[in-house]
């Protein structure tokens, strides 16, 4: 297994090593992460962030942040701020290298003028629909616009008037004059500028023409002096266009390198699709703990270290694949195992009365905070006559291989005593188990019997009078199918949403040491999993998100029990 501290190796890093050895960019490395501020970052973006910042770090270079804010309709300041927060949270720092494509609008306009003057860009009066019709297909060449051969002077004048706001949205565009019969559709006189009378979150009302992404992106890289412009595979077919612009403009030429985007099973990684889940109320917001966004994962209890470890493990490749979500969860468990303090919490409480334990007695038991890290020390956990255990830890008729509590059976209470169940108190009408009566063996304090007798299981518990009421939110996958985009004819990914992705438990009991827990704190509830304190917590109630369950060793037994149930 790959270690965090070993430098990764992949085809991109090989290219960069080569570029350094040939002194291609004077041996410099300057990468960038270029988000469009039209949504919150997701784990796919984390892959790109770790790659770009990671490479800069490894090769003694730098990494810029650049917001590709060329579309004023979908972009908002809220997104800009959240993206900055998320990158910082992941552990990366851009110092003073925070840029916006909109910073370059004037320069890009000058570049456009240069191309018009060279006779390789023209103002087209065709509308979007007509341009599309003229475009042709993969098998058929496109048709040139009748405005393609406008004189340069006329193009210059019209483009200036476009900028001056004389024309309506969509009435004219500026296009590159390349090749309408190119096998690459991106080269068929692509649109460079469109008219959009729309205020921009940074430039206000200064502009009513906006550069297309394809015209802005490569030039922005060039302006910043980016050496390796790393992007995802879908831009491979755009590279010839980006190269064309840079060559025609005769400006600094970064090297674009494409890699496969991250896909994860049971997960959608597309801001556009995630936005719909938010807008249509299927989740509580971009930071809903079920979302694959960095803000959702943070709220759920995923750590930056776990996410970086995951990005390291998956590596980068040239071909698309789907990563098993279990791998991400594995990275999360590995990290939390090292850092999360252990506590006891009961999700579904069953009352236990220790009938031979004095009513007024309270003992302080020593509990280990983290067996993985002795420096985290110990704490005191109160023990008393009335306790709660997990309802699932008792069976009146225990199936085979069920070693937990049952009538007449002795088990260990973690850090406390051996107890034996002597009576089951039920609701006479419903048959529901209300409480258990148990006896304890005072000789077994701390969890061992002096006579050497063994018990087969150890249960977690909390003292009832000391317990804190809590709410726990259990999450399941947001989608029921490994590929949520795989749907029946005529349906979309909404049809694959998991109706049971959130289960709220209102009546949980956690140990008293959690009274000072703050939102963002993460604990391991022994035998249950990892839980983060949610931002919804208030003085009335502490609320937990289950970050991830512990490895489910009970799954097999459960299956056996289901089988037994069916056959009886
Ligand atoms: P989305 O489809 O979610 O909107 P995007 O590519 O349009 O993604 P951008 O804001 O343009 O989002 O992405 C910023 C950077 O993150 C780009 O360089 C992009 O290639 C990269 N990126 C986006 N999604 C992924 C992914 N799933 N895996 C790896 N890199 C990604
Ligand atoms: Mg994009």
């Amino acid at each position: 297994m790959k270690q965090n501290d070993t430098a990764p190796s992949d085809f991109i890093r090989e290219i960069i090593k080569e570029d350094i050895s040939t002194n291609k960019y004077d041996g410099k490395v300057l990468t960038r992460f270029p988000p469009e501020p039209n949504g919150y970052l997701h784990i796919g973006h984390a892959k790109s962030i770790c790659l770009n910042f990671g490479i800069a770090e490894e090769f003694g270079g730098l990494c810029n942040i650049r917001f590709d804010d060329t579309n004023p309709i979908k972009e908002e300041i809220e997104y800009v701020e959240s993206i900055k927060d998320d990158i910082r949270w992941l552990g990366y720092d851009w110092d003073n290298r925070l840029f916006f494509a909109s910073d370059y609008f004037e320069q890009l306009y000058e570049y456009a003028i240069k191309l018009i003057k060279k006779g390789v860009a023209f103002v087209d009066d065709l509308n979007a629909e007509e341009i599309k019709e003229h475009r042709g297909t993969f098998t058929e060449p496109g048709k040139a616009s009748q405005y393609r051969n406008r004189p340069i002077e006329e193009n210059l004048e019209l483009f200036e008037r476009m900028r001056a706001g004389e024309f309506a949205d969509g009435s004219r565009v500026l296009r590159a004059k390349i090749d309408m019969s190119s096998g690459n559709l991106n080269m068929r006189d692509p649109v460079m500028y469109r008219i959009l009378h729309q205020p921009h979150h940074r430039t206000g009302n200064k502009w009513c023409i906006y550069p297309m992404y394809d015209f802005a992106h490569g030039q922005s890289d060039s302006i910043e002096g980016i050496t390796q412009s790393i992007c995802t595979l879908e831009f491979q077919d755009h590279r010839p266009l980006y190269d064309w612009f840079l060559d025609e403009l005769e400006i600094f030429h970064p090297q674009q390198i494409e890699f496969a985007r991250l896909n994860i099973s049971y997960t959608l990684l597309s801001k556009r699709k995630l936005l719909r889940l938010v807008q249509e109320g299927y989740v509580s917001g971009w930071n809903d703990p079920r979302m694959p966004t960095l803000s959702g994962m943070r709220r759920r209890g995923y750590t930056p270290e776990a996410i970086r470890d995951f990005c390291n493990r998956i590596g980068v490749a040239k071909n698309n694949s789907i990563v098993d979500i279990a791998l991400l969860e594995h990275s999360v468990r590995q990290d939390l195992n090292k850092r999360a303090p252990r506590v006891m919490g009961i999700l579904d409480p069953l009352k236990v009365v220790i009938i031979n334990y004095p009513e007024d007695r309270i003992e302080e038991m020593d509990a280990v905070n983290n067996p993985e890290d002795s420096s985290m020390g110990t704490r005191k956990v109160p023990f008393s006559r009335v306790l709660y255990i997990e309802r699932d830890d008792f069976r009146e008729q225990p199936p085979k291989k069920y070693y937990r509590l049952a009538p007449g059976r002795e088990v260990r209470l973690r850090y406390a005593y051996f107890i034996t169940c002597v009576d089951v108190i039920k609701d006479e009408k419903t048959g529901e188990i209300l409480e258990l009566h148990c006896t304890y063996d005072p000789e077994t304090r701390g969890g061992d019997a002096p006579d050497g007798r063994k018990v087969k299981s150890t249960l977690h518990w909390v003292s009832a009078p000391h317990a804190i009421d809590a709410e726990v939110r259990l999450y399941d996958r947001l989608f029921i199918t490994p590929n949520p985009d795989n749907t029946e004819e005529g349906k979309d990914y909404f049809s694959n949403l998991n109706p049971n992705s959130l289960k709220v438990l209102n009546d949980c009991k956690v140990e008293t040491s959690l009274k000072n827990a703050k939102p963002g704190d993460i604990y391991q509830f022994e035998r249950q999993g990892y839980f983060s304190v949610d931002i919804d917590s208030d003085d009335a109630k502490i609320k937990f998100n289950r970050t991830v369950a512990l490895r489910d060793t009970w799954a097999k037994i459960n299956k056996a029990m289901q089988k037994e149930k069916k056959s009886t």
Side-chain angles (χ1 to χ4, degrees), residues 342-387:
R342 272 56 170 171
V343 292
M344 294 195 279
I346 307 293
L347 303 190
D348 184 9
L350 174 59
K351 194 169 163 188
V352 170
V353 181
I354 312 288
I355 53 172
N356 59 340
Y357 195 85
E359 297 221 12
D360 53 357
R361 184 137 141 218
I362 295 162
E363 283 180 272
E364 297 284 339
M365 302 303 191
D366 286 309
V368 174
N369 287 333
N370 188 345
E372 301 287 320
D373 181 358
S374 58
S375 75
M376 288 171 72
T378 59
R379 68 188 183 287
K380 299 282 185 196
V381 181
F383 184 88
S384 68
R385 178 181 161 93
V386 183
L387 313 169

Side-chain angles (χ1 to χ4, degrees), residues 34-36 38 45 68 213 232 234-235 261 271:
E36 184 183 350
N38 62 345
H45 296 111
D68 264 324
Y213 179 84
T232 39
E234 68 272 22
F235 292 102
R261 61 170 45 229
K271 281 180 283 183

Side-chain angles (χ1 to χ4, degrees), residues 451-474:
D451 63 5
R453 79 181 185 279
K454 300 284 178 210
V455 288
K456 280 196 167 159
S457 83
T458 302
L459 310 186
H460 60 281
W461 52 274
V462 297
S463 163
H466 301 92
I468 301 171
D469 291 326
E471 176 183 305
V472 170
R473 297 155 181 189
L474 303 178

